[in-house]
Amino acid sequence: MKPKYKRIILKLSGEALAGDKGYGICLDVVDSIAEQIKDIGDLGVQVGVVVGGGNIWRGATGSLKGMDRATADYMGMLATVINSLALQDALEKRGVNTRLQTAIEMKEIAEPYIRRRAIRHLEKGRVVILAAGTGNPYFSTDTTAALRAAEIEAEVILMGKKGTDGVYDSDPNLNPNAKKYKRLDYLDILNKGLSVMDSTATSLCMDNHIPLIVFDLGVRDNIKRAVMGESVGTFVGGDENGE
Ligand code: GTP
């Protein structure tokens, strides 16, 4: 059995790294994600990872409480670097070759993000962790995932969530009758106002025909099942991505 996708962007929400505590980094969770990444790397899948930072700091929250939005967002970008270092450590402990690249230069810690270099690393079988968002305030890490996926020509974005196994028509935690979508068009996200990702990220995916799969990161092997083309979570794409 060959993987369906050869090059992917895995988007990990910061919250997913927090585990049950809801904040900070749960190393058991990071280890489990690293195991799953190793599994797909072993299948020959080229993996770029974009990590969020909401488990440490949310720019939007700081801004709501009166902070300068750009400053709050820069703090969020630094949070993604902390998460990325934790993931890099867990991967390398498992013998997975990695390269960490940051969109904001901090060369004592990581390489700067250079698109062609990132692609070269992927071709050499290294997991490339892409940190510090796009390097710009006002852009989410979902937008980063969409942008990097377009840049490195990833075939799909795997969007791992914590505690939700796809996209629902209403919050399943509040509404027991919430209905899960198996498949959605990008425009559904915008038109129905579904909280999958922000409109900038959605538009980027739509304009560049990058499908995404939203799934529960807490279920072991979900990442592998998704790259093998099995149906997990919710598939978002245009008609041309029809399964
Ligand atoms: P190839 O040339 O394709 O083999 O890639 P490479 O990443 O091994 O090349 P290089 O010799 O440039 O990098 C060796 C190590 O240094 C890797 O672990 C890189 O992640 C790291 N490295 C490269 N550039 C920087 C940098 O600007 N800052 C930091 N902190 N590390 C870097």
Side-chain angles (χ1 to χ4, degrees), residues 1 60 81 90 94 144-145 159 164 172 217:
M1 285 281 282
V81 179
R94 284 164 178 75
T144 309
M159 190 168 274
T164 166
L217 203 56

Side-chain angles (χ1 to χ4, degrees), residues 17-238:
L17 303 186
D20 294 335
K21 276 188 304 177
Y23 64 91
I25 298 173
C26 172
L27 289 180
D28 289 340
V29 172
V30 177
D31 281 342
S32 142
I33 294 170
E35 285 287 339
Q36 296 194 58
I37 295 174
K38 179 177 168 27
D39 286 349
I40 56 167
D42 289 345
L43 293 171
V45 179
Q46 298 180 5
V47 189
V49 189
V50 172
V51 191
N55 53 323
I56 297 171
W57 177 259
R58 288 197 151 278
T61 311
S63 146
L64 276 178
K65 295 204 165 161
M67 271 190 85
D68 175 62
R69 170 74 194 260
T71 304
D73 280 353
Y74 279 122
M75 290 169 68
M77 289 179 232
L78 295 179
T80 71
V81 179
I82 296 175
N83 285 335
S84 298
L85 285 166
L87 182 64
Q88 180 177 41
D89 183 81
L91 284 165
E92 299 233 316
K93 280 212 176 82
R94 284 164 178 75
V96 180
N97 286 323
T98 67
R99 292 293 183 267
L100 173 58
Q101 296 196 337
T102 54
I104 296 171
E105 237 189 77
M106 43 184 98
K107 55 179 185 294
E108 288 76 6
I109 296 176
E111 299 176 22
Y113 171 68
I114 298 168
R115 173 182 163 264
R116 291 178 66 127
R117 203 149 180 226
I119 293 172
R120 191 79 190 106
H121 289 321
L122 291 170
E123 287 169 351
K124 290 191 172 182
R126 296 160 180 159
V127 172
V128 181
I129 306 169
L130 301 158
T134 65
N136 302 99
Y138 295 95
F139 291 97
S140 65
T141 50
D142 286 347
T143 299
T144 309
L147 175 65
R148 298 296 185 238
E151 286 184 279
I152 67 163
E153 295 176 8
E155 294 156 286
V156 67
I157 298 172
L158 301 190
M159 190 168 274
K161 298 274 188 189
K162 185 191 168 197
T164 166
D165 61 349
V167 185
Y168 286 77
D169 59 354
S170 57
D171 186 343
N173 295 317
L174 303 176
N175 176 10
N177 299 319
K179 186 176 136 273
K180 184 172 127 187
Y181 296 106
K182 211 165 166 343
R183 197 192 155 87
L184 281 170
D185 192 277
Y186 306 106
L187 281 176
D188 294 327
I189 297 181
L190 300 174
N191 294 339
K192 297 188 207 289
L194 301 169
S195 53
V196 183
M197 54 184 189
D198 56 75
S199 56
T200 312
T202 308
S203 307
L204 253 177
C205 286
M206 181 168 70
D207 293 349
N208 295 289
H209 314 286
I210 305 163
L212 69 139
I213 300 171
V214 184
F215 65 98
D216 186 355
L217 203 56
V219 178
R220 181 73 222 237
D221 280 345
N222 257 358
I223 299 179
K224 188 171 174 182
R225 291 179 56 210
V227 297
M228 295 308 289
E230 285 179 41
S231 170
V232 281
T234 301
F235 180 93
V236 184

